[in-house]
Amino acid sequence: MKPKFIELSEAIIENIKSGELLPGDKIPSENELINTHKISNTTARKVLSQIESEGWARRIKGKGTFVLNRTPKHQLLRTLGSLDATRRGFHDYLTAEGFSHKDIILEKTILKEGISAEVNNKHFIIEGPILKIHLLRYADNELMKDEMKYISLKLCPKINHLSTEISYFKAYEETYQLKITDVKQTLSVEILPVHAPANNFGNESDIPVFVLDSVILCNNNQVIEIEKSLYRGDKYKFSIIATPVYNDQKNKKVK
Amino acid sequence: MKPKFIELSEAIIENIKSGELLPGDKIPSENELINTHKISNTTARKVLSQIESEGWARRIKGKGTFVLNRTPKHQLLRTLGSLDATRRGFHDYLTAEGFSHKDIILEKTILKEGISAEVNNKHFIIEGPILKIHLLRYADNELMKDEMKYISLKLCPKINHLSTEISYFKAYEETYQLKITDVKQTLSVEILPVHAPANNFGNESDIPVFVLDSVILCNNNQVIEIEKSLYRGDKYKFSIIATPVYNDQKNKKVK
């Protein structure tokens, strides 16, 4: 008979292999294992060590044990259509999946004037002043995301004093106590030619890029943030959560 | 003072211009206008005629009046992450937006063996027999979607006797009384070179294509349908509905 810790670690690894647990997902903690399986803390610790030593997951001090990204070409899977996924910062994901990450700030300025953007064929406006942030986000020294954000300084005063490493979404909710009512996102694609002007990716052949346009709204339809980002299309996949939201067009009212 | 019907039609056209009402959306019916605005049915009829005569919408007999697609290059916006949007068939959308459509069936066969697919890094299996349908879907004589579907004949006996023009999703629910519990979708992108083998799009320069992998599940996690489709990336945009779904990874259980 197999020792208990081997049995349990195999079950968890099986869940990773089957995709039940995805790269970046947290696996059960020592305490959760102890409570669920009525095992000792020595056994629980051995379960996690076993999974880690086989290279399936990595412990991050004070945060938990996370499934590493072992997909071919380290392809990244991100979830759209879930506020919870949006809340988690870019860094948290990469760290949890076992990537080294760095950001380069290309631009960080305060715009006095407002700006507008179109998402899902609809116009959105943020009045000035606005914090504009242009970030290049790298994983394992490869540029993954070219991110441009515009954040309302009226709704988030002094947000320019916060580190760009944080999840801004969390800051809107926690630091500024804003109630997020809606996140609208449109995904389109483009081909990014090798010699495109303003191409930061440095790709050596044409690559497809996802273009994500999004707006984050809070009460009274005020716009907190407008984002326009490019994701490397050869490195990213998006999964969409389809929830039973019944969009009844008939109820749309004439203003 | 403007006549009432002009005032109301202008308000609705304003909603179309602002993106409140999108191509393919239904605008209020005569009866709805009568009830909401306490107007006569003559006035209500004039409101709808006015909007139609200005080219913003089109009446489809027995179905309602729908916003036409007037975007540059007739770009199509589709919603992901909503079962309601999935339920609506491909044809219904195009007709409502004012496109002519046709399908070409490239293949329609019954497979005895099961097949499997990977969506969101997870494996899904349909046991045989399976209906395999390979459709080319055109709008205004341009190929928009190259669609491959595998449908369980065990769960949907004789579905091969239904027209490919219908919404299969509706058939699962209505004809076969299946309770859809989950729709999983992954969106990735590829560049489709001009001379790619098995390229049905006939594009004259490289184009980006969206690759949509999806599975539709019903009770007991049985797979009803597996789909793998290509959408012209230069013609499509996807909007994603972000709903407050709290995906608590911590609650994932070890099987």
Side-chain angles (χ1 to χ4, degrees), chain A residues 19-43:
Chain A
E20 285 292 329
L21 288 166
L22 293 175
D25 280 357
K26 207 173 182 172
I27 68 176
S29 68
E30 270 183 41
N31 281 334
E32 285 163 343
L33 289 171
I34 291 166
N35 292 330
T36 318
H37 302 280
K38 313 294 170 211
I39 53 177
S40 68
N41 52 13
T42 316
T43 307

Side-chain angles (χ1 to χ4, degrees), chain B residues 3-22:
Chain B
K4 190 73 188 166
F5 80 94
I6 292 284
E7 203 181 279
L8 276 176
S9 64
E10 282 180 353
I12 293 173
I13 290 168
E14 211 37 65
N15 282 351
I16 298 173
K17 284 184 183 165
S18 75
E20 284 292 329
L21 287 166
L22 292 175

Side-chain angles (χ1 to χ4, degrees), chain B residues 217-229:
Chain B
L217 303 174
C218 65
N219 3 356
N220 303 325
N221 269 328
Q222 292 181 94
V223 183
I224 307 174
E225 178 198 292
I226 291 176
E227 176 177 350
K228 188 181 186 78
S229 293

Side-chain angles (χ1 to χ4, degrees), chain A residues 146-172:
Chain A
D146 184 334
E147 176 184 300
M148 190 83 84
K149 283 192 178 181
Y150 300 89
I151 303 169
S152 165
L153 278 164
K154 223 166 162 184
L155 294 171
C156 308
K158 296 197 180 167
I159 197 162
N160 52 320
H161 293 201
L162 299 182
S163 156
T164 54
E165 302 241 334
I166 59 159
S167 155
Y168 281 105
F169 197 95
K170 266 192 212 157
Y172 305 149

Side-chain angles (χ1 to χ4, degrees), chain A:
Chain A
M1 211 182 107
K2 283 178 191 165
K4 190 73 187 167
F5 80 93
I6 291 285
E7 203 180 280
L8 275 176
S9 65
E10 281 179 353
I12 293 173
I13 290 168
E14 210 39 63
N15 281 353
I16 298 172
K17 285 184 183 166
S18 74
E20 285 292 329
L21 288 166
L22 293 175
D25 280 357
K26 207 173 182 172
I27 68 176
S29 68
E30 270 183 41
N31 281 334
E32 285 163 343
L33 289 171
I34 291 166
N35 292 330
T36 318
H37 302 280
K38 313 294 170 211
I39 53 177
S40 68
N41 52 13
T42 316
T43 307
R45 205 169 310 129
K46 275 168 133 183
V47 171
L48 294 181
S49 300
Q50 181 64 22
I51 297 165
E52 200 177 5
S53 71
E54 289 193 30
W56 291 98
R58 197 178 56 164
R59 217 178 292 208
I60 300 175
K61 222 178 146 184
K63 297 221 168 182
T65 304
F66 296 88
V67 178
L68 288 173
N69 190 313
R70 296 166 45 120
T71 61
K73 299 188 290 169
H74 275 208
Q75 204 160 35
L76 300 166
L77 180 70
R78 289 293 174 267
T79 303
L80 296 171
S82 142
L83 288 188
D84 196 42
T86 310
R87 186 172 291 118
R88 222 172 142 189
F90 192 84
H91 284 149
D92 286 354
Y93 266 116
L94 289 179
T95 308
E97 284 169 88
F99 290 94
S100 72
H101 60 78
K102 77 170 181 224
D103 287 347
I104 292 177
I105 302 174
L106 278 195
E107 190 183 348
K108 191 174 170 186
T109 22
I110 290 174
L111 310 176
K112 282 186 185 163
E113 306 291 318
I115 66 137
S116 75
E118 203 182 290
V119 179
N120 296 359
N121 291 358
K122 205 173 153 182
H123 273 88
F124 295 93
I125 294 167
I126 308 187
E127 289 170 37
I130 292 168
L131 175 64
K132 176 186 179 187
I133 305 176
H134 187 177
L135 282 182
L136 301 182
R137 295 188 175 271
Y138 293 79
D140 286 355
N141 287 317
E142 197 156 23
L143 183 59
M144 289 289 168
K145 187 181 178 192
D146 184 334
E147 176 184 300
M148 190 83 84
K149 283 192 178 181
Y150 300 89
I151 303 169
S152 165
L153 278 164
K154 223 166 162 184
L155 294 171
C156 308
K158 296 197 180 167
I159 197 162
N160 52 320
H161 293 201
L162 299 182
S163 156
T164 54
E165 302 241 334
I166 59 159
S167 155
Y168 281 105
F169 197 95
K170 266 192 212 157
Y172 305 149
E173 292 182 315
E174 291 166 16
T175 314
Y176 297 99
Q177 296 283 316
L178 298 167
K179 189 161 162 40
I180 312 277
T181 51
D182 210 351
V183 178
K184 294 187 189 292
Q185 301 172 308
T186 312
L187 207 54
S188 52
V189 297
E190 284 172 12
I191 294 178
L192 194 71
V194 181
H195 300 294
N199 173 359
N200 296 311
F201 287 90
N203 44 306
E204 282 164 14
S205 58
D206 294 357
I207 54 166
V209 288
F210 281 109
V211 183
L212 185 75
D213 286 288
S214 76
V215 285
I216 300 179
L217 304 174
C218 64
N219 3 356
N220 303 325
N221 270 329
Q222 292 181 94
V223 183
I224 307 174
E225 178 197 292
I226 290 176
E227 177 177 349
K228 188 182 187 76
S229 293
L230 304 178
Y231 290 86
R232 273 195 80 126
D234 52 347
K235 297 286 178 184
Y236 268 92
K237 283 188 180 191
F238 289 97
S239 80
I240 295 106
I241 295 184
T243 40
V245 172
Y246 291 83
N247 252 344
D248 200 345
Q249 300 295 0
K250 281 172 290 183
N251 293 338
K252 280 198 175 167
K253 285 200 200 83
V254 179
K255 267 187 206 155

Side-chain angles (χ1 to χ4, degrees), chain B residues 180-196:
Chain B
I180 313 276
T181 51
D182 209 353
V183 178
K184 293 187 190 293
Q185 301 172 307
T186 313
L187 207 54
S188 52
V189 297
E190 283 173 13
I191 294 178
L192 194 69
V194 181
H195 300 295

